[in-house]
Amino acid sequence: MEHADVLVVGAGASGGVVTGALADAGFDVVCLEQGHWPDRTDFPALRPTYELEARGGWGGNPTLRGKPEDYPVNETGSDIATLMYNGVGGSMVLYAADWPRLLPSDFRTRSLDGVGDDWPLSYRDLQPFYERTDRAFGVSGLAGDTALPPGAEFPLPPLPIGDGALRMARAHDRLKWHWWPAPNAVLSRPYQGRNACAHYGSCMQGCPEGAKASTDVTHWPNAIKAGARLITGARVSRILTDARGLAIGAEYVDTEGRWHVIKADVVVLAANSVGTARILLNSASPRFPDGLANSSGLVGKRLMVHPFANVTGYFDEPVDAGGHVGAKIVSYEYYETDPDRDFVRGAKWSLAPTGGPLNAALPSRAGNSVWGKDHHAHVRGHLGHSLSWCIFGEDLPDEANRVEIDDSLTDSSGIPAPKVTYRVGENSRRLLDFNIERAQQSFAEAGARRTAVESLMRFSGWHLLGTARMGDDPATSVVDGWGRAHDVPNLYIADGSVFVTSGAVNPTSTIVSLALRNTEHLIENRREQRIPG
């Protein structure tokens, strides 16, 4: 039977970082990934139909996409649909590559605002790992953002923001509101053998140039050179344990329907907040009747997804929104709690382009679809004349928002599928309403002739967080501050499941920084690590 020092489940953002660090340190590490290597020649960027394909087979919802490597999610009880990609690189293959960090206050919401919980670490603890992962992924940006503590320069200069973002920046200067060039995990120059951004404008349907960072290009090639073994088409059903309650490996099924068991001294889950909770709950046994690592009862609970709103501004003059899809500039003007408002915490704004001709012709994030004799005027007024403020609101943890195992739904391998229950809280609604009004004010100051709003978009669940929160107390958390399960000392979680609170920023930079920090702690303390006999 195959055996490894460490078994990693999931080859996405954190799985790539964890496997790479372990392989570099000389560990025998195996990663199981239910998807496959992405085929860059199949990315739709060079096809005129790329925006249409984004609404079908290249969309983010696994249930609608329905590829063999996907698993269905029962979301009938959820206000927001989950979005993810199953394959080497994970959801980074389809993300926009916005690369902000959590702010220092995000680690202390209980102390500062009396909501959520404080993290067992601070921004200062994570800052060196933010800066190292910036270099590893190749982040383009400008240091000195006044919303963050001072730190190192980014490895690459910022991407061009276009005259549209410059217009908005000047409007914010007049309003005396914060703005800053956005950091993006997209290359502004050639870097470490990868090409610079070619400005296809299709980042969220895969980057054929390899300029957008995802671990299939940034980490996996070197990890494999260092000896890591990556098994694709391997869908894990459950983690196996021994009589002492230690993890001993995993059971998985391949694409031919053959079942396998792989043994390991240490197991690391990196399958995102839905997939990791699903595996833990499906790993129930007589010793762990409520699911593995679930003595707190918190596995699957406190799911956070960042309620999202979009405000689009339309201009009479053409506006250049630049080439890449990710944020041009960001604003943290309304990120922190203000006691004069009727909500706590805040939102991050990202200024983004509104897409190409098909997005202009078809119903988009914000704005009405217009057909008939006025359609051409509608397209002319949208295409090349609009910008969007994408508003990510902080999502307060709520145990009622959760991932469970569905009573009857299974994937194509017969493994019980997850059921997501998620309701947008009143704080989030008030928070978004406030920020939408201010975003409209921002566009008005910039000279937009009108705005359109779409709030609480259903298909916006990219940021899957919580469901296995970290903490010092085993009664109120699933893993400790190093990602190790309180109940199973050789089981670790490396994805966004461990987030204590959500903050209001895109989470990938924080996920990979935490993964690197915790993996290096595991390596440094390997001699004290309990393993199966």
Side-chain angles (χ1 to χ4, degrees):
M1 186 176 298
E2 192 165 7
H3 179 274
D5 294 337
V6 183
L7 171 65
V8 179
V9 180
S14 60
V17 170
V18 170
T19 304
L22 289 167
D24 285 343
F27 284 79
D28 175 24
V29 55
V30 171
C31 179
L32 301 178
E33 166 55 50
Q34 65 186 322
H36 304 278
W37 284 91
D39 178 2
R40 297 193 176 280
T41 64
D42 188 41
F43 288 167
L46 298 178
R47 297 191 288 269
T49 55
Y50 75 95
E51 291 181 300
L52 199 59
E53 294 181 57
R55 299 171 184 239
W58 284 96
N61 184 260
T63 306
L64 296 179
R65 194 170 53 223
K67 291 187 174 180
E69 60 268 29
D70 290 321
Y71 55 85
V73 182
N74 180 348
E75 297 174 313
T76 55
S78 180
D79 291 339
I80 295 177
T82 58
L83 306 175
M84 64 184 79
Y85 181 81
N86 297 309
V88 182
S91 297
M92 297 183 87
V93 174
L94 300 186
Y95 77 152
D98 287 7
W99 203 257
R101 302 173 183 177
L102 289 175
L103 271 59
S105 68
D106 290 320
F107 296 86
R108 302 178 60 234
T109 62
R110 171 60 64 179
S111 296
L112 293 173
D113 301 315
V115 296
D117 295 285
D118 291 352
W119 291 50
L121 71 157
S122 69
Y123 177 88
R124 288 295 187 190
D125 293 326
L126 204 54
Q127 184 173 2
F129 299 93
Y130 277 131
E131 293 172 352
R132 289 174 58 192
T133 51
D134 285 351
R135 294 192 292 273
F137 282 91
V139 176
S140 301
L142 181 66
D145 189 339
T146 55
L148 288 162
E153 298 284 341
F154 289 98
L156 295 161
L159 292 158
I161 64 173
D163 64 11
L166 186 58
R167 175 196 287 252
M168 299 304 300
R170 287 170 173 160
H172 277 221
D173 283 345
R174 293 192 294 273
L175 292 167
K176 302 186 185 308
W177 288 3
H178 174 268
W179 72 272
W180 197 258
N184 285 273
V186 177
L187 302 183
S188 57
R189 294 177 180 169
Y191 185 72
Q192 295 184 347
R194 294 162 51 206
N195 295 332
C197 177
H199 302 290
Y200 289 114
S202 59
C203 307
M204 297 186 71
Q205 292 83 54
C207 175
E209 199 71 19
K212 187 185 75 170
S214 51
T215 53
D216 56 308
V217 295
T218 58
H219 285 69
W220 277 108
N222 287 335
I224 290 170
K225 286 180 184 175
R229 290 173 283 160
L230 173 58
I231 302 174
T232 59
R235 176 177 283 160
V236 171
S237 62
R238 60 189 178 117
I239 304 302
L240 305 173
T241 55
D242 65 9
R244 296 189 297 163
L246 294 173
I248 58 172
E251 177 187 71
Y252 71 95
V253 59
D254 64 25
T255 55
E256 302 298 321
R258 296 172 299 213
W259 289 85
H260 308 264
V261 170
I262 182 169
K263 296 289 189 69
D265 293 339
V266 170
V267 175
V268 181
L269 288 174
N272 83 43
S273 288
V274 174
T276 287
R278 178 196 186 200
I279 291 171
L280 291 173
L281 295 172
N282 275 335
S283 300
S285 65
R287 186 185 181 98
F288 301 103
D290 298 320
L292 194 58
N294 196 25
S295 64
S296 65
L298 289 174
V299 169
K301 295 181 179 177
R302 298 166 59 106
L303 174 68
M304 299 171 282
V305 299
H306 284 153
F308 181 76
N310 192 72
V311 179
T312 297
Y314 297 89
F315 297 86
D316 290 328
E317 308 81 9
V319 290
D320 172 16
H324 69 287
V325 168
K328 311 301 174 186
I329 63 173
V330 294
S331 177
Y332 294 102
E333 181 65 26
Y334 297 105
Y335 196 87
E336 305 288 356
T337 294
D338 184 332
D340 292 334
R341 300 175 195 145
D342 62 353
F343 60 88
V344 293
R345 305 302 298 159
K348 169 232 178 191
W349 300 7
S350 295
L351 188 74
T354 57
L358 284 177
N359 267 350
L362 297 170
S364 58
R365 284 179 170 178
N368 299 321
S369 59
V370 177
W371 304 104
K373 62 183 179 60
D374 295 328
H375 182 68
H376 289 278
H378 167 77
V379 172
R380 283 195 297 271
H382 183 123
L383 183 61
H385 289 261
S386 55
L387 296 166
S388 285
W389 277 122
C390 303
I391 301 170
F392 297 92
E394 173 147 0
D395 195 5
L396 298 179
D398 182 343
E399 290 189 17
N401 291 333
R402 61 195 187 275
V403 177
E404 302 168 292
I405 300 302
D406 192 81
D407 291 336
S408 57
L409 187 65
T410 62
D411 62 25
S412 57
S413 303
I415 302 170
K419 174 185 176 182
V420 171
T421 301
Y422 178 89
R423 295 303 182 198
V424 177
E426 184 60 30
N427 190 76
S428 293
R429 294 181 186 277
R430 291 176 180 176
L431 184 158
L432 285 183
D433 288 345
F434 174 90
N435 279 275
I436 286 168
E437 288 184 11
R438 297 308 179 279
Q440 291 173 309
Q441 184 181 348
S442 166
F443 276 124
E445 179 65 30
R449 57 183 164 79
R450 71 180 181 90
T451 57
V453 175
E454 188 170 5
S455 184
L456 292 173
M457 295 169 55
R458 176 165 174 76
F459 288 93
S460 62
W462 280 113
H463 304 164
L464 304 173
L465 306 169
T467 74
R469 63 153 293 194
M470 64 165 62
D472 296 326
D473 185 354
T476 59
S477 57
V478 176
V479 299
D480 66 15
W482 301 104
R484 179 168 59 185
H486 292 300
D487 300 346
V488 186
N490 66 335
L491 174 65
Y492 291 78
I493 298 177
D495 55 42
S497 304
V498 303
F499 274 42
V500 180
T501 55
S502 71
V505 303
N506 314 61
T508 308
S509 173
T510 301
I511 290 172
V512 297
S513 298
L514 275 173
L516 179 60
R517 169 185 177 269
N518 294 350
T519 303
E520 292 192 346
H521 182 267
L522 168 61
I523 294 169
E524 290 166 4
N525 294 276
R526 59 188 180 278
R527 300 191 188 286
E528 287 75 42
Q529 175 64 55
R530 287 185 63 191
I531 60 174

